[in-house]
Amino acid sequence: MKKIKYYIFFLLGAAMITSCDNELTEDVKMGIRVEQDGVSMQGDVVTVKAGTPVVFNFSGDPDNIMFYSGEPGAVYAHRQRTEVAPEDIESATLHFKIGTQYGKVYENTLEMFVSDQFEGLAKNDFKKDSVLVEQFAWNELVAKSELPDKPSIQKEYTVDVTKYLGKPMTLAIHYQAIDDTKNSMPRYNFSEMYIENVRNDGIVSKFMPSQYGFTAVNMMCNHNLKSQAGMKTNREYGTMTNNTAGIWNLVNAQNGGFYIAGGGKNTGNKNGWLVSDGLITTYCDPDQGTVIKNITQNVESYTHTYNKVGEYKATFIATRVNYKHDSRMMKELTIKVVE
C-alpha cells in the first residue's frame, strides 16, 4: 500500500514539475484592444481625435511591456539612431562659458578656432601634428577681443554652427602663456559646453565635449618644464586629472566642463592645443520607449494621449524571460489622429 502511495506522489510531483517546465518555456502572448467612446479600432488601425486619451487594454501575460508611441523622440525604428540628415535639423548652436582664475591675463593667451577643412591629427606623429595645428589656416570661432581679458570673470558664448551641418567641423582651442617672474598665469575654465541641435520635428539633442574626440597637443613636451615633471608619460598628447600647468584636464568633459591651468610664476612658457575630431554635427539622441510593465507589476491597461493630428506607428514590445526561455513579440498599431 505504501508503495502505491509513493508512486502516486511521484506521479503528482512529476506532473507538477512538467507543468512548471511548460509554463517556463511558453512563448509570450499579448493582445491589445481599444474599447472606449471617441476611439475606434478596426484591425490594427486606431482612429482618435487629437487630445482624446487612448486606453490600450492588454490580454495575455507578458512579464514586460515597452511602448513606443511613434511620436518624435519615441519611434521604435529610431531607437538606435544617433544621426539625422542635415535637412532634418533646423539649427545647430555651440554653447559654452569661459571663466578665468588666478594670475595675470595677457593678450592672446587664449584663442578659439573652427574649420571644416582640417585634415585631422595623426595622434602618433607629434612633429607632424605640432606643425599642422600651428600653420593651419584656422577660422576664428570667437574673436580674441571677445574672450576673457581679466582675471576672475566669466563670459557666456553662443555660436551658430548651422552652416557646418553635414561637414566635418573641427574645434581647436589654443592656450599660450609666457614665463612671468612676478605673476602666476591664469587658469581657463570651460563649462556648460554642448552643441544643441534643434530638429524640424521639435526634438532637441545635446552633443557633449566628451563626444568630440578632443586630443591635447602639448607644444612644450620636450622642454622638461619643472611644472610638468609629474607627467611621466605621453607629454605630447596626454591630459591630466590635476592642475598640471599647461596641460588640459578633461575629467568633467561628459558634463560640459574642462580646463587648463597656467601655473605659478617662474614655471616656464605654456603652449597647449586642444583639437577635436571632425564633428558631424547631425548628432541626435536615440529615440526612447516607455516601460509600462515589468515582472513585478500587474498591468491590464495603459493610457496615452496624442495631441497632434497625424499618423503614428505605435509599437509594443512584450517579453517573457527566465532561466529556461527567452521569448519576445512585437505588436504594431497604426494610430490615426484626426481633428
Side-chain angles (χ1 to χ4, degrees):
M1 188 67 176
K2 287 184 178 181
K3 289 182 179 181
I4 294 175
K5 289 182 178 179
Y6 290 146
Y7 183 65
I8 293 173
F9 288 146
F10 171 78
L11 292 177
L12 289 173
M16 292 176 64
I17 292 172
T18 301
S19 176
C20 289
D21 281 346
N22 289 338
E23 184 176 342
L24 288 172
T25 57
E26 283 183 358
D27 288 337
V28 64
K29 296 177 182 178
M30 178 184 64
I32 303 175
R33 293 298 305 170
V34 173
E35 298 175 3
Q36 63 195 87
D37 293 337
V39 183
S40 65
M41 183 173 184
Q42 294 184 344
D44 290 335
V45 179
V46 175
T47 304
V48 60
K49 287 187 177 182
T52 300
V54 182
V55 181
F56 299 98
N57 298 307
F58 305 115
S59 59
D61 189 24
D63 293 336
N64 310 283
I65 304 176
M66 175 76 78
F67 171 64
Y68 293 82
S69 69
E71 296 164 295
V75 176
Y76 176 77
H78 297 163
R79 68 195 184 283
Q80 296 179 325
R81 183 180 65 172
T82 57
E83 289 184 24
V84 295
E87 57 268 25
D88 291 335
I89 298 179
E90 182 178 296
S91 67
T93 309
L94 174 64
H95 300 265
F96 58 95
K97 295 179 180 180
I98 304 176
T100 57
Q101 284 182 285
Y102 322 120
K104 184 177 180 178
V105 179
Y106 286 87
E107 186 178 0
N108 298 332
T109 301
L110 188 72
E111 299 174 290
M112 298 189 70
F113 302 108
V114 64
S115 177
D116 60 5
Q117 300 297 316
F118 187 68
E119 66 184 65
L121 297 174
K123 302 184 183 181
N124 59 3
D125 187 338
F126 176 76
K127 184 177 180 179
K128 175 184 176 182
D129 286 342
S130 61
V131 172
L132 177 63
V133 296
E134 294 239 312
Q135 295 186 355
F136 186 75
W138 295 102
N139 300 315
E140 277 192 324
L141 179 73
V142 178
K144 296 176 188 177
S145 60
E146 296 177 7
L147 293 168
D149 56 1
K150 296 178 181 179
S152 303
I153 65 170
Q154 185 180 70
K155 288 188 174 183
E156 185 172 354
Y157 302 88
T158 301
V159 182
D160 184 0
V161 293
T162 305
K163 66 181 181 180
Y164 294 105
L165 287 172
K167 301 176 182 179
M169 181 183 74
T170 301
L171 301 176
I173 306 171
H174 183 210
Y175 177 89
Q176 187 165 15
I178 65 172
D179 189 13
D180 194 323
T181 59
K182 297 181 179 179
N183 303 291
S184 60
M185 292 293 98
R187 166 172 155 168
Y188 281 86
N189 299 307
F190 290 76
S191 62
E192 299 180 39
M193 177 178 279
Y194 58 90
I195 297 172
E196 181 180 71
N197 286 342
V198 180
R199 294 189 342 220
N200 297 332
D201 58 14
I203 297 297
V204 177
S205 297
K206 289 186 177 181
F207 192 23
M208 305 304 289
S210 56
Q211 300 168 282
Y212 298 173
F214 270 135
T215 299
V217 183
N218 177 17
M219 297 297 181
M220 308 303 293
C221 64
N222 296 318
H223 289 246
N224 297 314
L225 300 180
K226 290 182 179 180
S227 58
Q228 296 179 2
M231 193 173 189
K232 303 299 184 182
T233 61
N234 196 22
R235 287 189 184 179
E236 297 91 342
Y237 299 104
T239 60
M240 294 293 283
T241 59
N242 57 19
N243 296 319
T244 300
I247 303 298
W248 291 96
N249 182 316
L250 304 180
V251 171
N252 199 38
Q254 71 273 15
N255 297 315
F258 51 93
Y259 68 86
I260 187 167
K265 60 184 179 180
N266 290 319
T267 55
N269 295 337
K270 290 82 180 180
N271 188 344
W273 286 78
L274 192 64
V275 184
S276 78
D277 289 339
L279 307 178
I280 305 301
T281 53
T282 50
Y283 172 83
C284 70
D285 295 316
D287 283 22
Q288 300 292 316
T290 300
V291 177
I292 60 179
K293 183 186 185 305
N294 60 43
I295 197 169
T296 65
Q297 299 170 304
N298 181 23
V299 176
E300 296 181 352
S301 65
Y302 179 74
T303 302
H304 184 78
T305 302
Y306 292 85
N307 292 307
K308 290 187 177 181
V309 173
E311 186 170 302
Y312 306 90
K313 183 71 71 176
T315 306
F316 297 82
I317 307 298
T319 59
R320 172 175 286 177
V321 181
N322 56 60
Y323 73 98
K324 282 202 168 188
H325 193 52
D326 185 341
S327 177
R328 179 180 183 276
M329 69 167 290
M330 180 172 68
K331 177 69 174 178
E332 291 184 330
L333 300 177
T334 298
I335 311 297
K336 292 185 177 181
V337 181
V338 298
E339 293 182 352

